[in-house]
Amino acid sequence: MTSANAQAAQMLPGEGWFNAGAFPKATFEAQDVIDTGNGAYEAIGTLTIKDIAMPMVLPFTLTIDGDTATASGTAEVLRGDYAIGKDISEATVAGGVKVMFEIVAATK
């Protein structure tokens, strides 16, 4: 996890936020993928953070160029659903956090 804010980068792994020492991984497991057209898709699945599993629809685009496929997307995660920064009000830190990803895969 990264942040351009040095103070946030120091706090986010802590117990009140992601508690990375006890929960070093977050996972998304897709049960289905729907083609919504023009290279856009929705992965229907479950996001698990801090052992809290919630259903999620993850929109993404997929481009294939020769032997390389690139999937990228953006989704909003409600931090309260996962007890992330639960003692911090939404007036101080937004309740919704934008998560961006890019995955590049190539054949050997």
Side-chain angles (χ1 to χ4, degrees):
M1 105 187 59
T2 61
S3 173
N5 180 298
Q7 182 181 10
Q10 184 179 21
M11 292 177 58
L12 289 174
E15 286 184 28
W17 293 88
F18 285 95
N19 197 0
F23 305 99
K25 291 188 210 178
T27 61
F28 177 77
E29 184 176 333
Q31 285 81 37
D32 197 9
V33 175
I34 299 168
D35 183 344
T36 59
N38 296 322
Y41 299 85
E42 290 182 340
I44 313 300
T46 303
L47 177 64
T48 303
I49 301 173
K50 294 173 60 173
D51 282 347
I52 301 169
M54 303 285 292
M56 179 177 207
V57 176
L58 183 62
F60 66 96
T61 59
L62 178 66
T63 57
I64 299 175
D65 183 14
D67 292 341
T68 304
T70 303
S72 59
T74 302
E76 183 177 62
V77 174
L78 300 178
R79 64 183 178 86
D81 289 348
Y82 298 94
I84 298 169
K86 64 183 176 182
D87 295 332
I88 306 298
S89 78
E90 289 188 23
T92 304
V93 177
V97 178
K98 183 167 64 168
V99 177
M100 299 174 289
F101 68 91
E102 181 175 82
I103 300 169
V104 179
T107 59
K108 290 185 176 185

